[in-house]
Amino acid sequence: MGKKKKYTFIDLFAGAGGLSEGFVRAGFTPIAHIEMDKYACDTLRTRAAYHYLLEKKELGIYKKYLSEKKEGENGEKLWNKVPATVTDSVIHETISSSTIERIFQKIDSLKGKDSIDLIIGGPPCQAYSIVGRSRMGKSVEEDPRNELYKFYVKFLERYTPKMFVFENVLGLKTAKNGEPLKDLEQLVHSIGYDMQMQIQNASELGVLQRRQRLIIVGWKRDDVNAKGEKYCYPQLEKEKKGYAVLKDLFSDLPQRKAGEGKLTEIVSYTMPLTEMRYLKESGIRNDLFEFTTQHVARPHNVNDREIYCLAIRQWYDKNKQLDYSKIPSHLQTHNNKKSFLDRYSVVNPDGCSHTVVAHLSKDGHYYIYPTPNPTVETARSITVREAARLQSFPDDYFFEGSRGAAFKQIGNAVPVVLAYKIAKELKKQL
């Protein structure tokens, strides 16, 4: 038997495709992405078209699409330029007992005679996250998202991949006294898989963001690979490179004030790639594109910009985040001075950012741009492109939908570079 040319995967709860992008970069081939959010599905279709055109050496079509795109348009002008099979790999469905058979049928027709080597994905985690649990109170117990891991197992049962990757928040270990996690392990075991979990911090694996996630890797218990070796949890080598957000991640993007930029305009870099070592190393910026997009800042009222100035100055002077209860009373608009006192936070310019989350779609207070010597005129929160870079998405990645939809997709994603590091190690085993 000849060497297998491609390793295939299915991405469940795919979001905007951060996990998938890392696996594609490592040389895996996606068969299907299943996702419930309409705009994330549009983003996945646009990215699938990009990868197809890249392979066909027709990236000019994609560049033309980005340069002519109008705000409010979906991606049809691009999707129509590639075979329907490319965009049909994105299945817009909510995974549930009433849809699972239909999803199976769609995947079966997409994969044809191919086997599935890998299943990846992370069920939505609001019901497991500490913040989600505090916000939702008692209703968290009834949240249907608690049960989604059971559907993940049904996909393992149906497609019997060699290995799987299940990504989630640390809260999965403590939610309901750890019952869902124990149950997941038992279910996986009952269908012939072993699994192991480790907490991975993206900042130790080449991402300029402190983001801790539970990464579970599973494998068929009795399987061995071509070399006769058993599968195991991948060894991820920790990195210490000393890159900094402001200098190495943001500095080649043009200046923005609050409300400046457009969601669909072409943005030229202000520095050559040769001077941006981290961007090149991480694959965020490449030689194929001389521009990026979506460098758009949300508008802010004067009151918020004044608070941003205080927060930034305090960060530069004392290396400390702002305490909301201690800001001048004329700037305080919230009565709650007991919890969420860090609701105004500056992205650390000199190291890694704090965790990017989907709340970014509601406001930008938790992600203030670290403007040196800020004024009320220049203070702002981070742009869509800056947020995407914190999640290590490549600059040629386009997030479909509104500005808020883009922020939400980015906040919910798995950092691409983290996914790539996992994928690369798994591929060696296969």
Side-chain angles (χ1 to χ4, degrees), residues 379-408:
R380 62 169 175 89
S381 58
I382 59 173
T383 66
V384 170
R385 183 51 58 196
E386 287 157 354
R389 281 183 166 193
L390 288 173
Q391 285 279 51
S392 65
F393 277 99
D395 275 359
D396 52 30
Y397 216 97
F398 192 89
F399 301 89
E400 300 286 355
S402 64
R403 186 185 67 221
F407 274 134
K408 182 181 167 193

Side-chain angles (χ1 to χ4, degrees), residues 23 163-165 196-198 200 205 215-219 231-237 418-429:
F23 276 80
M163 301 186 85
F164 69 85
V165 179
Q196 207 182 334
M197 63 188 136
Q198 284 182 24
Q200 303 293 352
L205 294 160
I215 304 288
I216 299 172
V217 175
W219 52 87
Y231 297 114
C232 60
Y233 198 96
Q235 287 301 308
L236 301 177
E237 236 166 89
L418 171 63
Y420 169 67
K421 300 280 165 73
I422 295 167
K424 206 170 58 158
E425 292 308 313
L426 293 187
K427 196 174 177 202
K428 287 178 192 170
Q429 292 193 40

Side-chain angles (χ1 to χ4, degrees), residues 161-222:
K162 295 181 179 72
M163 301 186 85
F164 69 85
V165 179
F166 182 107
E167 177 270 349
N168 222 286
V169 289
L170 307 194
L172 180 60
K173 290 178 85 170
T174 51
K176 291 185 166 181
N177 299 321
E179 280 169 40
L181 189 54
K182 278 193 213 105
D183 191 34
L184 172 66
E185 192 155 19
Q186 281 166 356
L187 288 170
V188 158
H189 200 263
S190 72
I191 58 168
Y193 287 86
D194 283 338
M195 67 176 232
Q196 207 182 334
M197 63 188 136
Q198 284 182 24
I199 293 168
Q200 303 293 352
N201 191 338
S203 67
E204 296 173 340
L205 294 160
V207 181
L208 293 190
Q209 180 196 163
R210 292 193 312 278
R211 187 186 192 89
Q212 289 194 313
R213 284 295 182 268
L214 195 63
I215 304 288
I216 299 172
V217 175
W219 52 87
K220 274 192 186 163
R221 191 176 307 120
D222 303 321

